[in-house]
Amino acid sequence: MVRPVYLDNPQIDKLLAIVMALTGEVSVLHERLDTIERLLEVKGILSPTEIEAYEPDAKVIKEREQWRGEYIARVLRVVQEELETLNQS
């Protein structure tokens, strides 16, 4: 797959693609989290203090680590594709 080049350096374009993917993900997550926290507080279910004080158990930590690994793989997909192309040459 050939990617368009917008800047003088294709490597900077790849970095920009990664940063923009992260920016989009963080923006969506921030809005969703903000919505959830506001609804929980309005309904009297959880306060911001309770959310901040939450301590995940081992199962939750493991699930989060798995998600994080998959997320990082998606973010770094551009770099991985480049490495695979280089290795095939």
Side-chain angles (χ1 to χ4, degrees), residues 22-87:
L22 284 169
T23 301
E25 291 282 339
V26 169
S27 178
V28 169
L29 288 171
H30 174 76
E31 287 181 11
R32 291 180 63 88
L33 181 58
D34 180 64
T35 298
I36 290 168
E37 288 181 1
R38 289 173 190 267
L39 289 171
L40 289 171
E41 187 173 17
V42 166
K43 293 182 180 228
I45 297 170
L46 285 175
S47 70
T49 305
E50 290 172 298
I51 293 169
E52 292 297 324
Y54 174 72
E55 295 280 335
D57 61 21
K59 180 181 180 214
V60 171
I61 290 170
K62 183 178 179 181
E63 289 171 355
R64 288 178 177 182
E65 287 173 353
Q66 180 179 347
W67 179 88
R68 188 178 305 110
E70 292 168 357
Y71 177 63
I72 290 170
R74 283 194 312 274
V75 168
L76 295 177
R77 177 183 52 82
V78 172
V79 174
Q80 183 63 34
E81 288 173 355
E82 181 78 13
L83 288 173
E84 289 171 1
T85 301
L86 290 172
N87 288 335

Side-chain angles (χ1 to χ4, degrees), residues 12-26 75:
I12 293 174
D13 270 4
K14 290 175 189 172
L15 181 59
L16 180 60
I18 291 170
V19 170
M20 293 311 296
L22 284 169
T23 301
E25 291 282 339
V26 169
V75 168

